[in-house]
Each structure stands twice: as C-alpha cells, then as structure tokens.
Amino acid sequence: MHIIIYSGSGNLNSLGASKSIDVMLVKYLTLNGFKVTWLGRGVISDPPCTYYNLGMSNIGELLYRIYNKLRRVFFKIDIQDILLEEFIRFDNLMAAKIKSREVIVDDKTVLIGRNGLSLNTFTEVKKKGGKTLLHSQWMHPYTQEKLLTKEFSKIGIIKKPIKEERIKRQVLETEIVDWIWCISKLVKDSYLSNGVNQEKLIDLSLGVDFEKYSTVNKKKHKSNNEFIILFVGNVNPEKGVHILLEAINKSELENIKIIFNGGLPDYFLSIFNSHVKILKRRNISIIINPGEPLKNYRAASIFVLPSVHESFGLVVLEAMAAGLPVIVSDMVGAKDCVQRGVNGYIFSSGNSDQLSMMIKKLYNNKNLVDKMGRNSLAIAEKYDWRLIVAKLVNIINMSETIKD
C-alpha cells in the first residue's frame, strides 16, 4: 500500500495541527514499513520519506506572511478570506501534482487529506483509481456553523463564523471520499445527524507524542503554591475563552494566574479586555503567551479547554501527558479521553457556573490536583501516536476495497 499524506496549507514549521499530527503520522507509517509520500507547506530538513514542499522558501513564506498582515491591517481583509484563498491554492497545487503524475497514484494508493483543503485533490485521486480518507479536523460544516452562529450572536459578534464557499467545499468532499476519519464521538455524531452513511465513518481518536510531553511532567517543579490555569489555543469565542473568564469572575478566587497560550484576534479584543479589566481588580494575573506551550505545561497547575466547538482538541492530550488535571466542555471531542472525577471534569458547554465550581474544587485541594495529574499521565500513555497509527492502518487494511 502507498499512503500519501497531504498536510494542506498549514506551515509544517509552525505550531498547529498540521505539524503536531502529520509529523507523527509520517513517522510511524514509515517505521511500519509503508511507502509514504508527504506533501505540505514548508521546508523540512531530512524528512523520513519522499517529501514535496508545496510552499515557498523560508524567506518567501516570511514575505508572504508580511504581505497578508498588510492586507489585514490596511485593507481590512478578513482572515477567513485569506485562509480560504490558501485552502484553494494549495488544493490546486496538490491536485496538479497528481494530474501531471509527478506524484503517482494508482489502485494501491490511499490519500489522507483534511476537510476544506482537499476537494480537487480527492477528485484527482479518484480519477486515478486511488482511495481517499478525509481527516475531519472539524465537525460536519452544518453542525459547526450552527454552533458558532449561536455563540457569536450570544456575545454580540456580528460576523459570519464560516465562509459559505468553505461549507460547500466540505460538503462536496464528504460526498466523494471513501472514508471519513472521525477523530471523536462528537465528530462522528455530527456526520450521522447530517445524513452521512455510517459505513464511511472511521471512529478513531488522535494521538499524542507521549515521550515529548511526559518529559515535561518529569521536570515539573513548583517553587511556590501559585495556582496557574492554562489555556492553549486561539483566544477566541469558538474556544469558549469568554466562558472561562466568566467562570473565574464567579469563583471569587484571588491571586491566581491564567495563561492564554495563543493568539488573540482583533474582533474578540474588546470582549476579552472587558473581562480582564474586571478580574485584574482581584489581583488575577492574565497573560497572553503564544508560541511553543511546553514551558506553560510545566508551569501550570490545571488545564482548561471550554470550547463551544472543538472536534478534538489535541492540547487536552498534551496537557494530560504533561501530568495535568483537565477540565473540558462537553463540546470538546477529547472529552472521550477524560474520565470524570479521575483525571478531570467535563462541564456543560457555556455553563460558567459549573466550570467555576470545578476550578474552585481543584484550587482548594492540592492533593486532588496531584492525584488527577498522575491519572492523566497514565491515561495519555494509551493514546501514544505509535498505538493510534497501528490502529488506523489496521482499519484501512480490513477494508475489502483495498487489495494489495
């Protein structure tokens, strides 16, 4: 079997799902003896398999980022428009590689691509007799749009959360692919509720680089009793950041620190700052600290992901592997990895009262924090990428439609 990994428009040298997931997929597929061809954006030093950079040189990518920033600042181009442009551009580049036979596809080929980024690529693979596996990084687009529209309206953001063209692309992808990799029960249920045939759906969690993040736990040391809440991801309403801030306000806790390890978009800035202003009166330190999260996993006491829509949330597994108790909403796909009261808690999405109560419970019981952290570590080991990739390969091999 020949497996093609198409990483889409996300730069593989930057933090994000493309890097966190696809690097590990390629690593363990290659180690298992499969012929792997990898195409993505970014210069990769010493790749473990045949690799094609669909992007530019490092300098070219830097200049392109500056160009897009100028477009956003001076011409008020919506970041969603820029992202959609890139989805389509890289999809066309990838499809062209297959059409020209620079990348060989035949009836022994399986291509794994992400939703929104792979419509033309999937089409070309099907023409060549190959099989297609959609890595669903989001829920079904109709479900995602409904959830986000409701939340945007609730907090007064006048903005369409998902571009209509992206929704159309995702629906078409769903119709033409052979399989859809549902990375959580939430994702699977969203497809079933929108009429997708269950036979198409592969039910399998994402994994974690356990060796990398468990090392963080071994190096943990606390010089004081400071209580630090960590959030990792884009600081926006989709991730439920406003719900976390409301919960902290209701908790009446003081002298704690909240680290937001992610970027804050302009459209959410005023809402975020209004919450921060209130909390700072209680000597609550709020830090925006984007970039590599390892140091923040090491510093944190607990991890919270309060998303209103999260198909999985790989950062939850990372936090668990780093030995942290985790609190997630019931709209976070990685809740599948959380055992209530054992290594964390699950609260009803949007319910800041429940979240507040859970945070207070951990704040008041350091022994419980330590115990749950140890349990998180043990559970996370079962989701090591080595094990997940083996399961994925087994599922594909079991299909009667693939014949080596």
Side-chain angles (χ1 to χ4, degrees):
M1 188 191 304
H2 174 207
I3 299 179
I4 300 175
I5 304 294
Y6 167 47
S7 295
S9 59
N11 196 310
L12 292 165
N13 293 304
S14 302
L15 293 173
S18 296
K19 179 179 181 179
S20 300
I21 296 170
D22 291 359
V23 167
M24 302 308 290
L25 276 178
V26 169
K27 175 182 177 180
Y28 285 108
L29 285 169
T30 305
L31 286 174
N32 278 282
F34 288 94
K35 178 184 177 184
V36 179
T37 303
W38 186 16
L39 297 97
R41 181 179 189 174
V43 178
I44 300 292
S45 300
D46 195 26
C49 64
T50 301
Y51 173 75
Y52 295 87
N53 176 17
L54 297 174
M56 296 174 275
S57 66
N58 289 335
I59 294 175
E61 290 290 348
L62 174 60
L63 293 174
Y64 189 71
R65 286 199 302 272
I66 294 171
Y67 165 69
N68 277 331
K69 185 169 185 179
L70 292 174
R71 291 173 71 196
R72 295 198 307 272
V73 173
F74 293 106
F75 298 98
K76 306 302 179 185
I77 304 296
D78 190 337
I79 184 63
Q80 295 299 326
D81 286 317
I82 293 173
L83 290 174
L84 183 57
E85 285 175 11
E86 295 194 342
F87 284 8
I88 296 171
R89 180 163 69 90
F90 278 84
D91 185 17
N92 289 336
L93 288 169
M94 178 69 199
K97 293 278 188 188
I98 297 169
K99 188 174 183 179
S100 68
R101 299 192 65 80
E102 186 175 352
V103 174
I104 301 297
V105 172
D106 58 25
D107 61 359
K108 302 296 191 297
T109 301
V110 175
L111 181 138
I112 303 175
R114 285 182 167 77
N115 48 355
L117 298 97
S118 308
L119 178 59
N120 296 330
T121 299
F122 288 148
T123 300
E124 286 300 324
V125 170
K126 301 287 283 184
K127 288 178 182 178
K128 304 290 186 185
K131 298 297 179 182
T132 51
L133 171 59
L134 173 64
H135 169 191
S136 190
Q137 58 187 337
W138 299 302
M139 295 182 205
H140 190 284
Y142 293 158
T143 299
Q144 184 185 17
E145 182 187 36
K146 182 179 179 181
L147 290 168
L148 295 184
T149 298
K150 179 181 178 181
E151 197 63 28
F152 275 35
S153 175
K154 186 189 300 183
I155 61 178
I157 294 178
I158 305 173
K159 172 184 169 69
K160 190 171 176 60
I162 309 175
K163 295 293 176 181
E164 192 64 36
E165 186 175 357
R166 198 192 93 182
I167 293 174
K168 290 179 181 177
R169 285 176 61 85
Q170 287 181 239
V171 170
L172 288 171
E173 288 168 341
T174 299
E175 292 172 354
I176 67 172
V177 294
D178 295 285
W179 306 290
I180 300 170
W181 180 1
C182 297
I183 55 179
S184 67
K185 187 176 184 299
L186 281 178
V187 172
K188 183 178 181 180
D189 289 346
S190 76
Y191 280 98
L192 291 173
S193 66
N194 283 283
V196 177
N197 191 329
Q198 185 165 350
E199 292 182 2
K200 272 193 173 186
L201 307 181
I202 291 176
D203 190 4
L204 181 65
S205 168
L206 291 179
V208 66
D209 186 347
F210 185 76
E211 182 180 3
K212 175 181 178 179
Y213 292 99
S214 62
T215 302
V216 170
N217 178 261
K218 293 172 185 175
K219 293 181 179 178
K220 266 179 174 279
H221 59 85
K222 294 285 193 302
S223 58
N224 53 47
N225 292 319
E226 187 175 30
F227 189 78
I228 300 174
I229 299 169
L230 175 62
F231 166 95
V232 179
N234 293 318
V235 185
N236 63 28
E238 182 174 354
K239 300 287 187 178
V241 167
H242 54 296
I243 298 165
L244 172 56
L245 294 171
E246 287 172 7
I248 297 299
N249 187 33
K250 291 177 178 179
S251 73
E252 299 182 348
L253 295 176
E254 297 182 351
N255 303 314
I256 63 174
K257 181 186 290 185
I258 310 171
I259 299 175
F260 289 97
N261 195 139
L264 176 61
D266 292 339
Y267 73 86
F268 189 58
L269 187 60
S270 62
I271 294 173
F272 182 83
N273 285 340
S274 65
H275 286 286
V276 170
K277 185 177 179 180
I278 295 170
L279 294 176
K280 282 189 173 180
R281 296 172 188 160
R282 300 216 307 267
N283 198 30
I284 292 176
S285 174
I286 297 176
I287 298 170
I288 302 283
N289 186 12
E292 173 59 60
L294 280 171
K295 62 183 182 299
N296 291 327
Y297 286 131
R298 185 174 297 122
S301 308
I302 68 170
F303 176 86
V304 179
L305 189 62
S307 306
V308 298
H309 164 272
E310 191 80 52
S311 58
F312 189 79
L314 189 56
V315 290
V316 176
L317 274 180
E318 292 174 358
M320 288 168 56
L324 294 177
V326 295
I327 303 177
V328 301
S329 84
D330 59 2
M331 292 306 295
V332 171
K335 69 178 183 180
D336 298 346
C337 311
V338 179
Q339 297 179 22
R340 297 173 188 262
V342 176
N343 72 308
Y345 300 110
I346 302 169
F347 71 97
S348 298
S349 178
N351 192 326
S352 56
D353 292 317
Q354 282 185 4
L355 177 55
S356 177
M357 178 188 68
M358 292 168 181
I359 291 172
K360 285 176 71 174
K361 188 169 185 177
L362 291 172
Y363 175 85
N364 290 321
N365 193 335
K366 186 179 183 304
N367 289 334
L368 182 60
V369 169
D370 292 341
K371 181 180 178 181
M372 283 190 167
R374 291 192 299 272
N375 291 337
S376 276
L377 187 67
I379 295 169
E381 189 171 10
K382 299 174 184 176
Y383 291 90
D384 185 82
W385 269 117
R386 174 179 54 83
L387 304 175
I388 297 298
V389 170
K391 290 179 181 179
L392 178 62
V393 169
N394 186 52
I395 291 170
I396 294 174
N397 276 331
M398 284 175 63
S399 171
E400 293 181 356
T401 58
I402 296 286
K403 303 294 183 182
D404 287 333

